[in-house]
Amino acid sequence: MKLKRWIKAGVPFMALLLASPGAQAADLSLQDAINLALTQNTGLKVTQKGEDTAKYALEKARGSNGVSVGLSDTLSTTKNKDSDRQDSNSVGITGKLPLYTGGKNQASIKSAKIGVESASLQTQRAQEDLKLNVIKAYYNALEAQKTVGVRQETVDKYQEHFTNVSQLYAAGSKARIDVIRSQVELSNARQNLIKAENSYELELADLRNYLNIDRSEPLNLTTDFSYLAFDQDMGTCLDYAYRNRKDLLVDKNKLEQQEQAIKEAKAGYLPTLNLSVGLNSSQKFHPSSENSHGATASVGLSWSIFDSGVTRAQVKTAETSRDVAKLNYLKDKEAIDLAVRQAYYNMREAEKRFNSTQDAVHQAEEDAFIAREKYRAGEGLMLDIIDAQEALSTARLNYISAQYDYARYKATVENAMGVELTAEEKQAAALLETDADAALAQSRLGSSNDTTVDSTRKVAEELAGNEGNK
């Protein structure tokens, strides 16, 4: 799948491929999955809409400090007791410009500018989180796929053993209880296989949801686990996180916004100065016709010298909000510290398990082979085979789990550090379309081709039927 070429062309290739009727299982690498999610994920579209909201808030703040023009038109009639009725119409146009607001408008504009920067940082952090979620979902699906393989092999081994025991029983060399016990173990193994297959389908569904592709199309995951050593120590990771986590930068911006909010509140102690310019035209048309035109210009000073403590309360509220922003920054920094440490320790633990479980698999394979051969020779027990096969399955599952745990925790460490997207990923994210109507029109939910449930049921029925025939 040549996703890079299609992304450069602005076309979500996987969406086109998976939307085509009768599509075969599409090859999907981990990098392609990340790029596709950054291009199409609905949750990311919602977050990025926040940037538009912040930009409009800035426009509003700037407009409040600019010229405003108003138009008025008044039609009136008056009648006094001792005079004739008089009808008139007056039209006026007025322009206003704030000359001085005590720093309120300037603080509002600066706060809005900070808001635009924060919205961009929040989008970047959402992109990093989405990348992590895709990596986890991808490796979860791979692990589930490998688990299906282990469970299938276990079923095959028990099936082989059941056939062997049945033949030995027919020859009179084994007891009926051995046949029953082997059949029970075969049935249990099949149950585990069905559960593993369902887990695999669920993990694929989770991955498709992040990618926002057709929820029923098959996928062929092509990027398997590859061990890449992580050579940075804990202190380096923490220092990097303190400098680069986008949410910490957002917290700093929120603190600065609260400082501007204090300035806005304190502007209530100061006077305001406004320039007004107007043109007016008045016409009397009953009982006689008379026209008049005029122009006005004025500079108005307004100063609230006493407001019963309203401004003081507003200042105190803003100062309290600033203190809350400081504490939130500290709280988030502590949470980031904990997140980095937890992910780092988990990664190292998985790395140790990965290195230690490989030998256990080889030993378990040898033990299972010996147990089966001894039983065939009439020297072993049924329990030996069951224990050996269970130990082999456990060892293989532990090895698979350690591999993908390491991959997931390594990605989690990098996410907790705030490692930004690669240039290729940023290019993919730039293609995200946030138009709501287009997103609804392109939604691939409720596909009529969804056969996942039917396929799972068919597998279960076939396995149950095979078991019943034994």
Side-chain angles (χ1 to χ4, degrees):
M1 182 174 60
K2 300 179 180 178
L3 183 64
K4 296 178 183 177
R5 175 166 58 86
W6 288 91
I7 283 182
K8 290 180 180 178
V11 179
F13 174 72
M14 277 294 297
L16 294 176
L17 176 64
L18 296 180
S20 60
Q24 300 297 318
D27 289 344
L28 182 69
S29 69
L30 176 58
Q31 189 60 62
D32 288 343
I34 294 171
N35 292 347
L36 189 59
L38 292 170
T39 306
Q40 299 192 155
N41 182 265
T42 303
L44 189 57
K45 293 178 182 180
V46 174
T47 302
Q48 191 159 319
K49 275 294 185 182
E51 295 188 43
D52 294 336
T53 302
K55 290 176 183 177
Y56 296 140
L58 177 57
E59 290 182 11
K60 177 182 177 182
R62 285 173 171 166
S64 298
N65 199 46
V67 176
S68 62
V69 179
L71 178 66
S72 64
D73 186 357
T74 304
L75 178 65
S76 62
T77 180
T78 60
K79 176 68 171 69
N80 294 324
K81 182 177 181 181
D82 298 326
S83 63
D84 295 334
R85 189 188 81 221
Q86 296 184 359
D87 297 327
S88 64
N89 181 58
S90 60
V91 178
I93 183 171
T94 305
K96 294 182 180 180
L97 175 66
L99 300 178
Y100 178 72
T101 61
K104 179 179 180 179
N105 287 355
Q106 289 73 17
S108 177
I109 292 172
K110 187 172 182 180
S111 179
K113 287 180 179 179
I114 296 172
V116 171
E117 180 184 352
S118 294
S120 176
L121 290 170
Q122 287 170 338
T123 297
Q124 294 174 47
R125 184 57 189 168
Q127 291 169 346
E128 294 169 1
D129 288 341
L130 177 60
K131 176 181 177 179
L132 174 62
N133 289 333
V134 171
I135 291 173
K136 286 182 175 180
Y138 193 95
Y139 283 132
N140 286 345
L142 281 175
E143 181 179 354
Q145 185 182 49
K146 295 291 183 65
T147 300
V148 169
V150 172
R151 295 303 187 188
Q152 181 64 63
E153 183 178 357
T154 302
V155 169
D156 294 342
K157 293 295 185 183
Y158 276 125
Q159 180 65 63
E160 179 184 345
H161 179 65
F162 174 75
T163 302
N164 181 50
V165 172
S166 298
Q167 292 172 350
L168 293 175
Y169 170 70
S173 59
K174 292 296 179 181
R176 172 64 177 167
I177 191 172
D178 283 3
V179 178
I180 296 174
R181 182 62 186 274
S182 62
Q183 190 173 22
V184 170
E185 294 301 327
L186 175 59
S187 176
N188 291 338
R190 283 173 175 159
Q191 294 298 315
N192 289 333
L193 174 59
I194 293 172
K195 292 178 181 179
E197 289 173 334
N198 184 61
S199 295
Y200 178 50
E201 292 296 342
L202 291 175
E203 297 299 349
L204 284 179
D206 192 35
L207 177 59
R208 292 188 192 101
N209 188 62
Y210 284 121
L211 306 186
N212 194 19
I213 60 177
D214 193 309
R215 273 36 174 204
S216 62
E217 293 296 335
L219 293 175
N220 179 32
L221 308 183
T222 59
T223 303
D224 203 352
F225 170 78
S226 178
Y227 175 73
L228 297 174
F230 190 88
D231 55 3
Q232 299 184 48
D233 59 30
M234 176 82 73
T236 302
C237 294
L238 289 170
D239 291 340
Y240 189 95
Y242 297 152
R243 295 192 308 269
N244 294 278
R245 276 288 291 262
K246 307 298 187 300
D247 35 0
L248 270 188
L249 298 178
V250 170
D251 284 344
K252 290 181 179 179
N253 283 347
K254 289 181 178 179
L255 178 57
E256 178 58 28
Q257 284 181 311
Q258 291 305 322
E259 295 290 354
Q260 298 303 317
I262 293 174
K263 292 181 180 180
E264 286 188 59
K266 288 183 176 180
Y269 291 128
L270 302 173
T272 60
L273 193 64
N274 295 284
L275 171 65
S276 297
V277 177
L279 299 173
N280 61 79
S281 175
S282 178
Q283 179 183 21
K284 293 182 180 180
F285 50 85
H286 183 273
S288 61
S289 178
E290 180 181 347
N291 295 328
S292 63
H293 305 279
T296 61
S298 64
V299 175
L301 175 67
S302 176
W303 195 347
S304 177
I305 59 176
F306 180 73
D307 60 3
S308 298
V310 172
T311 300
R312 178 179 178 278
Q314 291 174 338
V315 172
K316 292 298 182 182
T317 299
E319 289 176 342
T320 301
S321 296
R322 177 197 57 192
D323 292 342
V324 171
K326 289 180 180 179
L327 293 174
N328 279 331
Y329 171 75
L330 178 60
K331 178 174 70 70
D332 289 345
K333 191 173 183 179
E334 292 171 350
I336 288 171
D337 181 281
L338 177 61
V340 171
R341 292 179 187 276
Q342 288 178 330
Y344 191 91
Y345 289 138
N346 286 332
M347 178 189 66
R348 292 306 184 196
E349 178 258 349
E351 187 176 34
K352 293 176 182 178
R353 286 194 288 116
F354 165 70
N355 292 327
S356 64
T357 53
Q358 193 168 12
D359 290 338
V361 172
H362 296 315
Q363 294 168 358
E365 289 174 340
E366 183 178 358
D367 182 44
F369 175 78
I370 293 173
R372 285 193 297 270
E373 293 303 314
K374 287 178 65 177
Y375 187 84
R376 288 175 181 172
E379 299 178 0
L381 301 174
M382 172 68 69
L383 185 60
D384 294 335
I385 292 181
I386 295 172
D387 289 344
Q389 185 60 48
E390 183 65 26
L392 176 57
S393 297
T394 301
R396 284 177 174 165
L397 292 175
N398 286 341
Y399 180 60
I400 293 170
S401 176
Q403 285 181 314
Y404 294 110
D405 278 350
Y406 176 77
R408 286 185 291 257
Y409 285 128
K410 181 175 178 292
T412 304
V413 170
E414 293 172 348
N415 175 267
M417 291 170 60
V419 176
E420 64 179 13
L421 304 182
T422 65
E424 178 184 347
E425 292 162 355
K426 289 180 180 178
Q427 183 182 8
L431 297 174
L432 183 71
E433 175 58 57
T434 59
D435 182 81
D437 293 331
L440 289 171
Q442 297 170 4
S443 175
R444 286 171 289 277
L445 295 177
S447 171
S448 60
N449 298 323
D450 193 345
T451 59
T452 301
V453 176
D454 292 338
S455 298
T456 303
R457 185 180 295 111
K458 182 179 179 181
V459 171
E461 289 174 351
E462 288 178 353
L463 290 174
N466 290 339
E467 181 181 340
N469 293 331
K470 294 300 180 182

